[in-house]
Amino acid sequence: YCRMTDAFFLHDPLKGHDTRAFSTFLQNCGFHQMDISPCADGRLAHTISYVLRLPFGAVRRRSFAGAMFDVEDTVSKWVEIEHSRYRAGIPNSADIPTRYLKTVVYHFSSLNPSHEGCAAHGSNDALAARAGLERLLSFRQVVESGYCCGASVSLLLMGLDTDTDGLRIHVPDAKGHIDL
């Protein structure tokens, strides 16, 4: 494990992609923070750097079984980020209309769907996607109930095929509704 970890940092799989450049790109897209919760299954350990090709450390990443992230912890992190924006202008000032992007990455298997999908959801792709969406909606509901409707939260749901690294992106519509 230590050799693999050292090799990751030594060989830089993204060949020097700068976290500051990604942060600028993210802000240009209208987001001040990207928070990703992949399933804790070891097959998703490569999601950030190798599948999504995002610079290590440029996004908040916390893995949970079945991608069922802790809503209370995530709201706490959202509050921390928002305070940082209002008090110190980091990563950008609060007068810039950017949003916190919360992302869930569930997984499935295209080659053996009934046995190699997410164990936390009984290898049921539809259940994994629905559970991820419900957790995202719960997060937004808590933020909006506690801090104001229309608070600066956007949601994104992704599925990762662990056999091919193919992505299934559930793109929200213009009103932010995610259709499974």
Side-chain angles (χ1 to χ4, degrees):
Y1 176 77
C2 286
R3 282 192 304 266
M4 182 188 77
T5 302
D6 290 343
F8 174 86
F9 289 103
L10 181 67
H11 299 297
D12 186 11
L14 296 178
K15 306 295 181 233
H17 285 114
D18 185 359
T19 57
R20 273 181 263 123
F22 177 73
S23 180
T24 299
F25 168 76
L26 198 62
Q27 288 178 31
N28 290 338
C29 291
F31 303 105
H32 54 265
Q33 177 72 38
M34 186 173 190
D35 179 338
I36 301 175
S37 292
C39 180
D41 185 299
R43 293 173 292 174
L44 273 71
H46 67 295
T47 302
I48 305 300
S49 294
Y50 291 100
V51 176
L52 298 176
R53 310 296 289 170
L54 301 177
F56 185 77
V59 298
R60 177 176 189 251
R61 178 193 191 276
R62 296 236 11 226
S63 299
F64 294 90
M68 300 302 291
F69 67 91
D70 182 322
V71 172
E72 184 176 322
D73 175 65
T74 304
V75 169
S76 179
K77 185 60 178 177
W78 177 85
V79 167
E80 181 183 318
I81 294 294
E82 294 306 305
H83 277 290
S84 181
R85 290 179 68 225
Y86 278 90
R87 304 282 285 165
I90 299 171
N92 62 2
S93 61
D95 63 332
I96 298 172
T98 56
R99 298 172 310 284
Y100 187 97
L101 178 60
K102 178 62 187 165
T103 304
V104 162
V105 183
Y106 66 93
H107 65 102
F108 60 95
S109 168
S110 59
L111 299 178
N112 193 356
S114 59
H115 296 95
E116 295 295 326
C118 182
H121 298 292
S123 291
N124 183 328
D125 304 349
L127 181 60
R130 187 170 45 258
L133 178 58
E134 288 171 0
R135 194 56 59 109
L136 285 169
L137 295 173
S138 293
F139 167 65
R140 179 167 53 200
Q141 180 62 45
V142 170
V143 169
E144 289 183 354
S145 294
Y147 297 94
C148 182
C149 34
S152 59
V153 173
S154 290
L155 309 176
L156 182 61
L157 179 65
M158 289 191 231
L160 175 62
D161 184 342
T162 54
D163 299 320
T164 66
D165 286 345
L167 289 172
R168 179 184 296 158
I169 301 176
H170 302 270
V171 180
D173 65 17
K175 295 179 182 176
H177 177 263
I178 297 174
D179 186 359
L180 296 176

